[in-house]
């Protein structure tokens, strides 16, 4: 595993968690999707019963758009997005 990538990912996660406020819903969904794909991916079982939960449906759609990425690629994209949002 790429140790520096993991450190950078953890730093980006902490910064987003602590500093990002009032982000647009589409940005929050991208953050969510990259994070989930980077940490463990998702399965369709995570989104059972979407018919009654609109929030789950949006999250599923966001993840579907990036689920082709490897864990490493998702971490890199998460870091890139965090840097663009927080300008660090």
């Amino acid at each position: 595993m790429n140790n520096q990538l993991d450190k950078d990912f953890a730093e980006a996660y902490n910064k987003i968690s602590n500093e990002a406020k009032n982000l647009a819903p589409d940005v929050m969904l991208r953050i969510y999707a990259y994070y989930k794909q980077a940490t463990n991916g998702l399965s369709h079982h995570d989104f059972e019963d979407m018919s009654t939960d609109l929030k789950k449906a949006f999250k599923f759609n966001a993840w579907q758009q990036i689920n082709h990425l490897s864990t490493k690629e998702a971490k890199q994209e998460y870091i890139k997005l965090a840097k663009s949002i927080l300008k660090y």
Side-chain angles (χ1 to χ4, degrees):
M1 194 168 279
N2 187 336
N3 213 4
Q4 187 60 48
L5 180 60
D6 291 336
K7 288 178 184 176
D8 292 345
F9 179 72
E11 178 185 5
Y13 173 77
N14 288 330
K15 285 184 178 285
I16 284 288
S17 297
N18 295 320
E19 299 175 25
K21 305 289 184 229
N22 301 318
L23 297 175
D26 63 318
V27 174
M28 290 298 296
L29 286 169
R30 285 191 345 200
I31 290 168
Y32 169 84
Y34 287 136
Y35 178 81
K36 286 298 188 179
Q37 188 68 15
T39 56
N40 63 3
L42 296 175
S43 72
H44 292 279
H45 300 291
D46 294 318
F47 294 100
E48 291 176 354
D49 197 27
M50 281 190 296
S51 62
T52 60
D53 190 340
L54 187 58
K55 188 174 180 179
K56 275 188 179 180
F58 278 110
K59 286 180 173 183
F60 179 75
N61 184 52
W63 171 68
Q64 279 290 105
Q65 293 177 33
I66 61 97
N67 73 356
H68 63 282
L69 297 177
S70 70
T71 300
K72 179 181 177 181
E73 291 169 325
K75 285 179 181 180
Q76 291 168 333
E77 290 300 318
Y78 185 96
I79 293 164
K80 190 184 317 179
L81 181 58
K83 286 182 176 182
S84 73
I85 292 168
L86 300 173
K87 311 285 191 266
Y88 75 94

